[in-house]
Amino acid sequence: MGLVALAALIVPAPMASAGPPSTKGDDKVIELPGASSAEGIAAGKGTTFFAGDLLRGDIFRGDVRRGTARLFIDLPDGRMAVGMKVDVENDLLFVAGGATGQAYVYDTDTRKTVATYQLTKEPAFINDVAVTDDGAWFTNSRKGELYFVPVDRHGKPGEDVRTLTLTGPAAETPADFNLNGIAAVRGGRTLILAHSANQALYTVEPGSEPTADSAEITGTSLPNVDGIVVRGNTLWAVQNMLNQVSRVRLDSRLESFEVRDVITSPDFQVPTTAALFGDTLAVVNAKFGIAGASTYEVVLADAR
């Protein structure tokens, strides 16, 4: 019943009917066969990607070069799969558990569940995750908190979850969905956060204290900002209901940004998150609010 209520929350009233993916342009569409919903995607080794069935929690594995995908991990009822990232060195897939308040860690070789964490017992929506050299950070869209799952030098996730309480603008919760996408930069010393309600980007330096202040990266507003991808001083911000990805240039101090380009595709149908493969973005269609949606895809688009 909780998942049914969640679906009503995250899927707004129908906007349009979902037709078959277009064949215009140079974009390639990779179907997630049998998926009932979608939201997260993560880059694995080489040209491998992982994507999730949002409401079922199942994990798909695909290849952007081959243009194929298949069900990889069939999971028990009660799990969700929202944002996800791969710790390539340790063959671990970290997955945000949405309204369950949980996070999951899967072994990308054996397909087994390595660990399950109850990040919070309060009402939550664990939305996205960023991987660092020593663990993974998760966002909560319902509260100004981040959660850290440590990974030791042997590649084993730890048992103790750290809760980081945010202060400043990133901690604001004016809507149902607030903190969303997250990326780790500067060797994991700094986190960049996307805030859907505030249409903004923020930085946080976690440190060792139980609280951390946030600061805005000033620039134009980013309506419907969802997942983010960062490489160097370039950030790609997926804007779901706008069916676009903004490519922005960050200044060296992470104090301001400028939108350099807006990436669109005739195949975007409410994209939510993206993974980067060289100059190619792999963008997952969530199709929130689209009547008649029965298939879910990953769209490959030019990142430049």
Side-chain angles (χ1 to χ4, degrees), residues 119-141:
L119 301 180
T120 177
K121 294 182 179 180
E122 297 181 7
F125 192 87
I126 310 304
N127 204 321
D128 210 348
V129 55
V131 169
T132 69
D133 289 340
D134 55 357
W137 287 97
F138 292 83
T139 60
N140 183 351
S141 292

Side-chain angles (χ1 to χ4, degrees), residues 28-101:
K28 181 184 292 184
V29 176
I30 304 173
E31 183 176 344
L32 303 176
S36 67
S37 55
E39 210 281 352
I41 188 170
K45 293 179 180 178
T47 55
T48 299
F49 70 84
F50 297 88
D53 191 317
L54 172 63
L55 297 178
R56 290 179 179 169
D58 295 337
I59 305 299
F60 292 83
R61 184 173 68 179
D63 189 293
V64 296
R65 180 177 57 82
R66 296 177 181 175
T68 59
R70 63 182 178 87
L71 181 63
F72 183 62
I73 308 177
D74 187 3
L75 291 160
D77 293 342
R79 296 193 187 185
M80 297 185 68
V82 196
M84 56 184 66
K85 292 292 188 303
V86 176
D87 178 345
V88 175
E89 182 178 350
N90 294 310
D91 298 314
L92 299 175
L93 174 65
F94 292 84
V95 179
T100 67

Side-chain angles (χ1 to χ4, degrees), residues 3 24 27 50 72 101 192 211 213 236 287:
L3 295 185
K24 300 177 183 177
D27 302 323
F50 297 88
F72 183 62
I192 298 179
T211 63
D213 196 22
W236 290 264
K287 299 187 178 180

Side-chain angles (χ1 to χ4, degrees), residues 122-225:
E122 297 181 7
F125 192 87
I126 310 304
N127 204 321
D128 210 348
V129 55
V131 169
T132 69
D133 289 340
D134 55 357
W137 287 97
F138 292 83
T139 60
N140 183 351
S141 292
R142 304 291 298 278
K143 194 171 184 179
E145 291 181 344
L146 303 179
Y147 311 97
F148 182 71
V149 172
V151 175
D152 66 21
R153 61 189 182 89
H154 302 293
K156 181 180 179 181
E159 297 180 359
D160 296 329
V161 174
R162 174 189 173 193
T163 298
L164 181 68
T165 301
L166 301 180
T167 59
E172 297 173 1
T173 54
D176 289 326
F177 286 86
N178 303 285
L179 288 176
N180 200 326
I182 181 172
V185 297
R186 297 173 173 170
R189 298 187 305 275
T190 302
L191 303 173
I192 298 179
L193 307 174
H195 197 293
S196 297
N198 289 354
Q199 305 178 16
L201 300 174
Y202 301 110
T203 57
V204 172
E205 296 184 358
S208 59
E209 299 299 319
T211 63
D213 196 22
S214 58
E216 182 177 4
I217 307 177
T218 60
T220 186
S221 63
L222 293 170
N224 304 117
V225 63

